[in-house]
Amino acid sequence: MSNPVGIAILGAGRWGVHLIRNFLNHPQARVLAVVDPHVERLNSARSQFNLDDSVILATDWQDIKQLPGLEAVAVATPAATHYALICDALEQNYHILAEKPLTLDPAECRELYQRAQQRQLQMLVDHTYLFHPAVIAGTEVVQGGRLGELRYGYATRTHLGPVRPDVDALWDLAIHDIAIFNTWLGEYPIQVQGIGRVWLQPTLGEGGNSKLFPKGLSDLVTATLTYPSGFQAFIHLCWFNPDKQRRLAVVGSQGTLIFDEMSGDAPLVIQQGCLEPEGDRWIPSHQNREVVRLEKAEPLGRVCDRFLELVRHNGQAQESGAIDSSSGAIATELITILTALSHSIQQGGLPVQL
């Protein structure tokens, strides 16, 4: 067995603590440092995970970037900081695991991806849902033709906070559903439309991008994606709803595949059924409900597993699948879609071609 990979986690906020937990518990990782500008977060991480003195706690990346034994960096900082941090880490020849979104600019995404390739370094983007057992199983259902002719899809992702000060609800939430639709369909949208409503933050907070959000941060967003096949996906996003919803569906001529995270006992279901003519009417027929059996696995744990596997085997992962969908190239495509949706929102919902 090879030596554990020395890793530093940049960011000890809401998502960073999950990365700390996973890497601390992973036999092929050794957490060397945790970096966060907020001392109280560092102290909280030390207490929560009972970190010993061998784990360096620092408020500045510059203080630990040449740490002996460091091989990889997990970035869970605000999106606007990603580009500079990842550029610097790649210059130090470190492998990168980046929280989504990779950056807020498609050109920056492409540049980072190219830099990683040129240096033969791994750069995995944490699109966690693509490692979810329900999404992996759903891909087999959709692409296996079990739903018949695909008609349309819809997704709802709502909750009451947290409200981010650096990006709007679109950038915080939509990337999950877009990634799932793209993966299930095996297609990339050719046109997008978006409409946003701003209530809480008409001005940007720290780290905001004025080009993307000139009128403030949208709390409510509705988005429409049109694919080459004619399939359309309709997405509803809001961080202002007391009712938490995490539901995505693909509707076909023979049935609907439903991924509902809030349904703990049956998160992935095929609701079979079609309409058949009877005289001058259409009658529901062949109705049935099938619960798709899933593996039990933490998606983020799988992300960490695959990242360490790639680092340890120089990119020669033993399996494809979700890892391919989380490469720098796919991350760039997703940021391109989100950027186009932001432009549509700025124009009052006009269609934007991709």
Side-chain angles (χ1 to χ4, degrees), residues 63-95:
D63 294 339
I64 63 100
K65 74 176 188 179
Q66 294 182 342
L67 192 65
L70 188 58
E71 300 171 76
V73 173
V75 180
T77 60
T81 68
H82 284 190
Y83 175 74
L85 283 172
I86 294 173
C87 274
D88 199 10
L90 290 173
E91 286 296 315
Q92 305 299 318
N93 288 318
Y94 297 141
H95 303 285

Side-chain angles (χ1 to χ4, degrees), residues 135-196:
V135 174
I136 295 171
T139 303
E140 297 178 3
V141 172
V142 175
Q143 297 189 3
R146 296 193 59 191
L147 304 180
E149 180 185 345
L150 301 183
R151 298 283 171 77
Y152 76 100
Y154 60 90
T156 301
R157 191 169 293 269
T158 66
H159 53 76
L160 193 62
V163 176
R164 292 182 57 164
D166 58 331
V167 296
D168 65 2
L170 171 73
W171 282 79
D172 186 36
L173 303 173
I175 197 167
H176 303 304
D177 299 312
I178 297 171
I180 295 170
F181 278 125
N182 288 2
T183 300
W184 280 6
L185 299 172
E187 290 188 284
Y188 180 82
I190 56 174
Q191 177 183 287
V192 298
Q193 291 176 269
I195 297 175

Side-chain angles (χ1 to χ4, degrees), residues 97-138:
L97 172 62
E99 182 187 13
K100 62 81 187 169
L102 179 55
T103 75
L104 301 177
D105 184 331
E108 290 180 349
C109 289
R110 282 189 289 270
E111 181 186 338
L112 292 177
Y113 179 48
Q114 290 167 359
R115 287 191 183 202
Q117 284 188 311
Q118 290 166 359
R119 290 179 171 270
Q120 296 185 314
L121 295 168
Q122 302 306 311
M123 187 172 72
L124 178 64
V125 183
D126 176 16
H127 297 302
T128 311
Y129 276 88
L130 299 184
F131 292 80
H132 196 295
V135 174
I136 295 171

Side-chain angles (χ1 to χ4, degrees), residues 271-291:
Q271 192 69 48
Q272 296 167 328
C274 62
L275 290 171
E276 293 186 345
E278 185 177 287
D280 59 354
R281 297 183 299 166
W282 293 91
I283 305 299
S285 179
H286 298 92
Q287 292 177 283
N288 184 49
R289 182 176 182 268
E290 175 187 342
V291 176

